[in-house]
């Protein structure tokens, strides 16, 4: 089979090589899946650069999530061959034509769900759901400020906040991306390059600020967010796509009575895997009802994967980027 492998760390287009490798053989409790589509994430860029918190030694296959069909499964897994699934490989291994994964990281999806949308569902929507509901305790009628609203996890956050009957203010950096935020359901879209985000949020909320801030960017965005978060608001730290890890001055946290809340969704896979499966079922329900629909900004061939990953790393994509593989 073919797989994209990293032999030395660096930028994706330079270090990823498409190679013939031995097909994996599922061990006890594992499932062999023929991959139909893989989803690209910023963590894959960081893996290539050796900038992610988990740092596999080369050579390794990046890729954290994929959709496909079960080719083989042990009797102890309770999974039958032939079913369509999404898999989490945490955080590497998905950029291949076949993957063998533990049964607890295999999740069923409907036959009618397109492979690209199935592959785009787990990480972005799980992260946004855990952030908004478990970590922030979002209530109907509250205002959510979503940064990078046209991105993969930002677009998921807009849809999930709207599904929870919250009001959404989204930020983006171009007219195209602002339009996407509005199409996804944002009540107000703010151009962070041309507008004063703090001023717009305060004006839109009558001076109160946002009850929940969803921040996958960090750096200067975090600094601005804490200035427009509401009394008893929750500032969700999703990631650091902007590059700089901001400081949270505790005197400011105390004076404004808000919470800075970390969201490391991957940790739930180890600590509370049952909850991850429950949320997956809820996401499938929301998809079936039309309340969420993964935004596929770019669908490329398997051979085009490194170039697409480079575009993602440079911030030149919208929604989720997926590569079609085929079973």
């Amino acid at each position: 089979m073919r797989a994209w492998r990293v032999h030395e760390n660096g930028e994706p287009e330079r270090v990823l090589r498409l190679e013939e490798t031995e097909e994996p053989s599922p061990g006890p409790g594992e499932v062999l899946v023929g991959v139909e589509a893989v989803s690209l994430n910023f963590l894959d860029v960081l893996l290539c650069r050796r900038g992610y918190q988990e740092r596999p030694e080369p050579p390794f296959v990046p890729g954290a999530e994929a959709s496909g069909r079960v080719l083989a499964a042990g009797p102890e897994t309770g999974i039958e061959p032939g079913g369509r699934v999404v898999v989490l490989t945490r955080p590497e291994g998905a950029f291949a034509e076949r993957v063998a994964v533990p049964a607890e990281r295999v999740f069923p999806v409907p036959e009618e769900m397109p492979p690209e949308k199935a592959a785009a569902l787990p990480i972005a929507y799980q992260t946004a759901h855990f952030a908004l509901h478990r970590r922030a305790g979002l209530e109907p009628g509250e205002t959510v400020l979503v940064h990078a609203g046209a991105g993969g996890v930002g677009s998921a956050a807009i849809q999930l906040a709207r599904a929870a009957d919250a009001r959404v203010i989204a930020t983006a950096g171009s007219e195209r991306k602002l339009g996407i935020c509005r199409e996804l359901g944002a009540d107000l879209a703010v151009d962070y390059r041309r507008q004063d985000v703090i001023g717009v949020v305060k004006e839109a909320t009558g001076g109160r600020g946002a009850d929940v801030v969803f921040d996958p960017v960090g750096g200067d965005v975090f600094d601005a967010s804490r200035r427009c978060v509401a009394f008893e608001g929750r500032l969700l730290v999703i990631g650091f796509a902007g590059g700089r890890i901001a400081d949270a001055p505790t005197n400011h946290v105390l004076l404004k009575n808000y919470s800075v809340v970390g969201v490391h969704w991957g940790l739930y896979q180890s600590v509370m895997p049952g909850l991850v499966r429950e949320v997956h079922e809820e996401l499938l329900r929301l998809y079936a009802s039309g309340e969420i629909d993964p935004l596929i900004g770019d669908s490329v061939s398997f051979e085009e994967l490194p170039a697409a990953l480079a575009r993602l790393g440079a911030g030149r994509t919208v929604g989720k980027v997926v590569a079609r593989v085929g079973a």
Side-chain angles (χ1 to χ4, degrees):
M1 71 168 197
R2 298 182 303 164
W4 285 103
R5 294 209 295 178
V6 172
H7 289 268
E8 60 179 353
N9 295 113
E11 293 303 313
E13 279 189 295
R14 185 177 66 83
V15 301
L16 280 168
R17 301 180 195 170
L18 187 57
E19 300 177 339
E20 288 289 337
T21 63
E22 186 176 347
E23 181 170 315
S25 178
E30 289 188 331
V31 177
L32 179 65
V33 174
V35 176
E36 297 174 334
V38 295
S39 175
L40 281 57
N41 292 282
F42 190 66
L43 73 86
D44 300 315
V45 177
L46 295 178
L47 277 177
C48 291
R49 295 173 179 168
R50 199 171 174 81
Y52 193 61
Q53 55 260 37
E54 297 182 41
R55 299 179 177 181
E57 291 297 327
F60 66 89
V61 177
E65 58 185 344
S67 67
R69 197 171 292 277
V70 176
L71 300 178
E76 67 276 20
T77 63
I79 297 174
E80 294 294 329
R84 294 198 59 242
V85 295
V86 291
V87 298
L88 296 166
T89 54
R90 186 190 162 216
E92 53 174 312
F95 292 172
E97 293 178 320
R98 306 282 190 275
V99 292
V101 293
E104 61 267 22
R105 297 188 181 278
V106 178
F107 301 83
V109 294
E111 280 287 335
E112 63 273 14
M113 192 175 194
E116 293 87 351
K117 290 186 182 288
L121 186 70
I123 292 179
Y125 283 84
Q126 286 266 352
T127 297
H129 194 285
F130 271 83
L132 295 173
H133 292 287
R134 185 168 184 87
R135 302 297 285 144
L138 180 63
E139 295 288 343
E142 288 192 310
T143 297
V144 181
L145 172 61
V146 178
H147 290 295
V153 70
S155 60
I158 291 175
Q159 292 182 343
L160 286 168
R162 291 293 296 159
D165 293 324
R167 182 189 185 200
V168 178
I169 301 172
T171 70
S174 71
E175 284 301 321
R176 179 194 177 205
K177 292 182 178 181
L178 291 169
I180 288 172
C181 291
R182 296 186 190 101
E183 291 172 5
L184 290 168
D187 300 276
L188 180 62
V190 185
D191 187 339
Y192 69 84
R193 294 181 179 178
R194 299 182 180 182
Q195 295 175 272
D196 172 19
V197 174
I198 299 172
V200 172
V201 171
K202 287 188 174 180
E203 181 180 357
T205 58
R208 171 179 169 79
D211 300 291
V212 175
V213 180
F214 187 94
D215 178 16
V217 182
D220 294 344
V221 170
F222 177 90
D223 295 338
S225 295
R226 61 184 181 82
R227 290 181 169 87
C228 60
V229 67
F231 171 77
E232 291 196 331
R234 291 83 77 199
L235 203 171
L236 298 165
V237 179
I238 311 297
F240 313 104
R244 180 173 69 86
I245 298 176
D247 294 320
T250 52
N251 64 322
H252 194 259
V253 174
L254 182 150
L255 290 172
K256 286 191 68 175
N257 267 33
Y258 64 92
S259 303
V260 177
V261 185
V263 184
H264 181 190
W265 170 74
L267 195 57
Y268 284 99
Q269 297 181 68
S270 301
V271 179
M272 304 179 76
L275 188 56
V276 173
R277 194 163 293 275
E278 287 179 22
V279 171
H280 176 73
E281 293 299 323
E282 171 64 7
L283 293 174
L284 290 184
R285 184 192 69 78
L286 291 169
Y287 175 78
S289 68
E291 293 175 87
I292 64 171
D293 186 19
L295 171 64
I296 307 300
D298 200 2
S299 177
V300 303
S301 69
F302 193 48
E303 292 76 14
E304 297 172 304
L305 188 152
L309 195 57
R311 291 194 297 274
L312 188 156
R316 301 199 305 270
T317 61
V318 298
K320 291 291 291 182
V321 180
V322 297
R324 305 177 302 275
V325 183

